[in-house]
Amino acid sequence: MPTKATKRTARVKPGQREEETLRVLISHQRIRERVRHMAQEIRRDFPNEPVHLVGVLKGSVLFLADLARELGGEVSFDFISVSSYGKGMDSTGEVKMNKDLDVSIEGRSVLVVEDILDTGLTLKYLLRLFEERKPKHLRVAVLLDKAERRIADVKADYTGFVIPNEFVVGYGLDYDERYRNLPDVCVVRLGPRGKTKIEA
Ligand code: IMP
């Protein structure tokens, strides 16, 4: 279900940058509740098994940390780094590996943990890569799904929120490496006059 934006806004001025406006789309409270339910769903599917979380750096870090704590049972994690976006909001459409996993996933119940599914090109690349490594199970959990932007034929097994086609930051997601530490997921918009003004 598409999420509803709240009216809460605020202003900060971190330096001489373009005008940016942040609007809370999903509050931290809603994220916490949804992550708890997702963890329950995942544990229902893997009741007695160790689950190996594979986080896609860097955007998934906060989501993975919360999900791991809610999952209970035996959980391990590892991280991979790929880039599909340059600076700013536009995708290059290319996926490049920056850092591979530290340990083998062969024979493990693997849950890929992604911040957001946009075109799906990153996830498609990762699933192809991981399938070749013969995991016992390969599932995907995404916090956010911009379903209308999909190009690649992929879908997540566990989805937090389906969101509209807006650029979002917070709870791990960035705009030029900023805003990852915001507790809420916010829509970011560039202002009309290229002036420094950020509302959050
Ligand atoms: P995809 O390959 O187009 O599905 O893009 C996946 C990656 O693009 C995500 O893991 C994010 O790092 C980045 N991305 C896509 N949409 C957004 C957004 O709205 N905000 C921040 N990052 C995004």
Side-chain angles (χ1 to χ4, degrees):
M1 262 226 300
T3 55
K4 259 172 65 196
T6 74
K7 291 225 157 50
R8 183 148 65 92
T9 59
R11 276 167 196 238
V12 289
K13 292 187 176 176
Q16 295 301 304
R17 296 194 183 97
E18 282 180 296
E19 178 178 301
E20 295 166 7
T21 304
L22 296 193
R23 176 172 50 87
V24 175
L25 182 67
I26 311 171
S27 69
H28 188 57
Q29 180 62 30
R30 288 183 66 201
I31 295 171
R32 282 175 66 127
E33 284 162 15
R34 186 69 193 117
V35 170
R36 188 169 303 140
H37 283 124
M38 290 173 84
Q40 285 164 0
E41 267 181 80
I42 294 162
R43 259 299 165 222
R44 259 199 301 274
D45 294 347
F46 297 96
N48 302 309
E49 295 198 46
V51 177
H52 189 61
L53 305 181
V54 168
V56 185
L57 292 172
K58 305 169 198 166
S60 73
V61 166
L62 302 192
F63 176 39
L64 184 143
D66 286 344
L67 191 64
R69 281 177 285 198
E70 293 291 346
L71 268 173
E74 198 176 326
V75 171
S76 52
F77 39 85
D78 199 352
F79 294 93
I80 192 164
S81 172
V82 291
S83 12
S84 62
Y85 266 63
K87 277 169 74 95
M89 299 183 180
D90 294 319
S91 171
T92 60
E94 280 171 43
V95 180
K96 179 167 98 36
M97 163 91 77
N98 301 321
K99 179 216 166 288
D100 203 345
L101 299 175
D102 291 337
V103 295
S104 168
I105 56 169
E106 189 172 341
R108 291 176 185 248
S109 295
V110 172
L111 182 68
V112 179
V113 181
E114 256 281 42
D115 52 358
I116 187 165
L117 201 45
D118 186 22
T119 63
L121 293 168
T122 308
L123 187 60
K124 190 171 179 127
Y125 168 89
L126 290 172
L127 289 178
R128 198 180 298 142
L129 183 77
F130 294 152
E131 265 154 18
E132 282 168 12
R133 299 178 182 186
K134 304 193 171 24
K136 182 174 170 196
H137 300 285
L138 184 58
R139 302 276 169 89
V140 178
V142 295
L143 180 73
L144 306 171
D145 183 358
K146 278 193 217 170
E148 64 190 87
R149 291 259 305 162
R150 199 63 31 79
I151 294 172
D153 179 24
V154 285
K155 63 182 181 62
D157 300 286
Y158 312 96
T159 300
F161 302 90
V162 176
I163 62 166
N165 181 16
E166 307 246 36
F167 197 84
V168 289
V169 294
Y171 196 65
L173 289 127
D174 75 308
Y175 174 52
D176 286 353
E177 293 301 327
R178 289 177 290 124
Y179 305 125
R180 292 193 194 275
N181 57 329
L182 296 179
D184 310 309
V185 169
C186 300
V187 172
V188 60
R189 286 219 181 87
L190 296 182
R193 283 182 296 141
K195 214 175 125 198
T196 302
K197 190 177 81 184
I198 300 178
E199 301 186 347

